[in-house]
Amino acid sequence: MVFLKQNKVLITSFINTAFARGVSAIGSILLVIVVGKKFGASGVGLFVFVQTIYLGAALLARLGIDAYLVKRIAQSSTLKQKIDIFFSSVRRTFLTSLMFSFALLVLSGSISKYYNGENLDEYLYVAVALVPFTTLLFVAIGFIRGINKPGLASIFENGSVSLISVLLFLLIEEVYSDATLLDFFFCVFFSTIISLLLSLLVVKKDIEIGLADFIYNLFIKETSADKVVNYDFFFISAIQFSQQIIPVLVASYFLTEAELGLLKASEKVALAIGFVAMITNTVMPARLARSFSKGHNAEFLYNVRFGFLINAILAIPLGIIAVLYSDNLVAMLGDDFVGSGYLLCIFALAQTYNVLLNPSVFILNMTGNEGVTKKLSIFALFLSLTSMPFLMLYFGLFGAALSIVLYLIIQNSLAFYKMLKVLKNLAA
């Protein structure tokens, strides 16, 4: 009881975020189930490939600003600072997102020829349109995290887009039984716009300005904020881009469309374990940034221990369930996925390990060690990417799964080691 009273705010924040992340995880899995049952493993492979393209472009277009916003907004002492930083961030990322959309449009023909499946032209046009809205959505999410509303940030990050997309598609399917995968992408497009508008309403409420002032600040007024691009965060985002995009591109070359669907569907189901890490990733960074900047080392170290403890309590049981019932879990996606339980086992074990060590990365980032994270990520990425073609060529789907999990295992292991050194200095 004493523990609960002393940690009421923190525990409440975790519970709210856990609920939100649970909704997000369910939304992501429902998305795969709907696509899998309607379009089979090949449909999942096509969907994941196109989704990876536009999410990757949006990730690069954000320039790491969404992660930087969490730290800067949490440390802002005045409302004016928050307003200036947010609108500067939106303007910068909007311009870069248009550049990446144009680049994607120019490269769409080459991407379509490269893909080991059906023609992608129509799907890529939707992807081009999705890049700016997806980019701005994640900038708004960064702000929402910074103002310590982790539950809402979690909903907007994955849950809202997935759930609204599924609901819209099921409605279309009810009216037109011959709905296509392209129709599903249009549902994703509209759900992204809806999620962006809702997230901006949350931002508007926090900065306490009217709609007219909000629009004026967004499009007309000059801001006096400091630079909104932190290059360490940008490089971390670029590395995340390489880690998320390159495996899919390489896999689409070595694997068939159906095999790619089996691979990514198993990974998506295993992300139900990863949602635990997303809870602490959402709740803890802003809290840690504040306590560290104020020199409250005891509070900082306490929050670190709390984050690791929560991850272990939640992730280990989920990992055990995913391994023991792997065949049953993948079978719910449809007949095409029967027999791919071993892939889920690989992803589930790796996800559990990574969740246990994951706080190490954002602890380094929130204590001014972004450069260390960048170097570790580059090293882990190099080892992962150089081994990837070999693993996929000689071990097929099994090797593809190993190559995807290798990066995070190496990165989190090294980050944990470096984090222990940082904590030792703080505790001294």
Side-chain angles (χ1 to χ4, degrees), residues 184-204:
F184 193 90
F185 271 107
F186 281 117
C187 293
V188 173
F189 175 74
F190 287 113
S191 65
T192 302
I193 294 176
I194 293 170
S195 298
L196 172 60
L197 293 175
L198 292 174
S199 66
L200 289 177
L201 285 176
V202 175
V203 174
K204 174 184 167 297

Side-chain angles (χ1 to χ4, degrees), residues 8-21 279 283:
K8 183 178 179 181
V9 175
L10 186 56
I11 291 173
T12 301
S13 182
F14 264 95
I15 291 173
N16 291 339
T17 308
F19 173 78
R21 281 296 182 184
I279 298 172
V283 173

Side-chain angles (χ1 to χ4, degrees), residues 95-371:
L95 290 175
T96 54
S97 68
L98 292 180
M99 293 169 57
F100 277 94
S101 284
F102 180 74
L104 183 57
L105 181 63
V106 172
L107 294 172
S108 60
S110 300
I111 295 172
S112 187
K113 290 178 182 177
Y114 170 84
Y115 182 64
N116 188 19
E118 66 176 88
N119 188 282
L120 293 179
D121 289 344
E122 291 180 320
Y123 301 100
L124 290 177
Y125 294 147
V126 180
V128 167
L130 271 164
V131 173
F133 297 105
T134 304
T135 303
L136 294 177
L137 173 60
F138 276 91
V139 172
I141 290 169
F143 181 94
I144 294 170
R145 282 182 175 177
I147 60 175
N148 200 27
K149 292 185 177 180
L152 279 174
S154 300
I155 291 288
F156 287 125
E157 190 166 3
N158 286 308
S160 60
V161 173
S162 298
L163 287 173
I164 296 173
S165 299
V166 168
L167 291 174
L168 286 176
F169 183 75
L170 291 177
L171 180 62
I172 293 174
E173 177 71 8
E174 185 68 24
V175 179
Y176 305 103
S177 58
D178 58 344
T180 66
L181 186 58
L182 184 61
D183 294 323
F184 193 90
F185 271 107
F186 281 117
C187 293
V188 173
F189 175 74
F190 287 113
S191 65
T192 302
I193 294 176
I194 293 170
S195 298
L196 172 60
L197 293 175
L198 292 174
S199 66
L200 289 177
L201 285 176
V202 175
V203 174
K204 174 184 167 297
K205 182 178 179 181
D206 182 79
I207 58 180
E208 300 173 348
I209 60 176
L211 181 60
D213 288 335
F214 188 89
I215 295 173
Y216 174 74
N217 276 274
L218 185 59
F219 294 105
I220 302 173
K221 184 181 178 182
E222 293 185 7
T223 58
S224 58
D226 62 358
K227 65 173 184 177
V228 292
V229 179
N230 179 293
Y231 290 102
D232 284 326
F233 279 110
F234 170 67
F235 279 114
I236 292 170
S237 293
I239 290 166
Q240 290 174 345
F241 165 83
S242 300
Q243 185 266 331
Q244 294 174 16
I245 297 296
I246 294 179
V248 175
L249 295 178
V250 175
S252 66
Y253 180 81
F254 286 103
L255 306 177
T256 65
E257 190 174 69
E259 287 175 329
L260 179 62
L262 294 175
L263 180 72
K264 297 302 290 184
S266 297
E267 184 185 20
K268 292 282 188 182
V269 174
L271 285 177
I273 302 170
F275 99 93
V276 176
M278 295 177 188
I279 298 172
T280 51
N281 285 352
T282 304
V283 173
M284 300 308 295
R287 187 179 297 273
L288 291 173
R290 279 194 299 272
S291 58
F292 180 78
S293 66
K294 294 177 181 178
H296 298 165
N297 291 350
E299 178 185 330
F300 179 87
L301 293 171
Y302 178 83
N303 286 331
V304 167
R305 289 192 293 270
F306 188 90
F308 275 105
L309 178 63
I310 288 292
N311 274 18
I313 291 173
L314 296 178
I316 292 175
L318 290 174
I320 293 173
I321 292 171
V323 170
L324 292 179
Y325 298 97
S326 57
D327 289 331
N328 303 86
L329 291 171
V330 294
M332 70 182 184
L333 302 176
D335 294 339
D336 286 357
F337 300 88
V338 174
S340 61
Y342 71 97
L343 294 173
L344 178 56
C345 285
I346 295 172
F347 287 119
L349 290 171
Q351 280 286 344
T352 303
Y353 177 81
N354 289 326
V355 167
L356 294 177
L357 300 188
N358 180 262
S360 309
V361 175
F362 66 73
I363 289 169
L364 290 175
N365 290 342
M366 294 300 112
T367 54
N369 290 285
E370 300 96 330

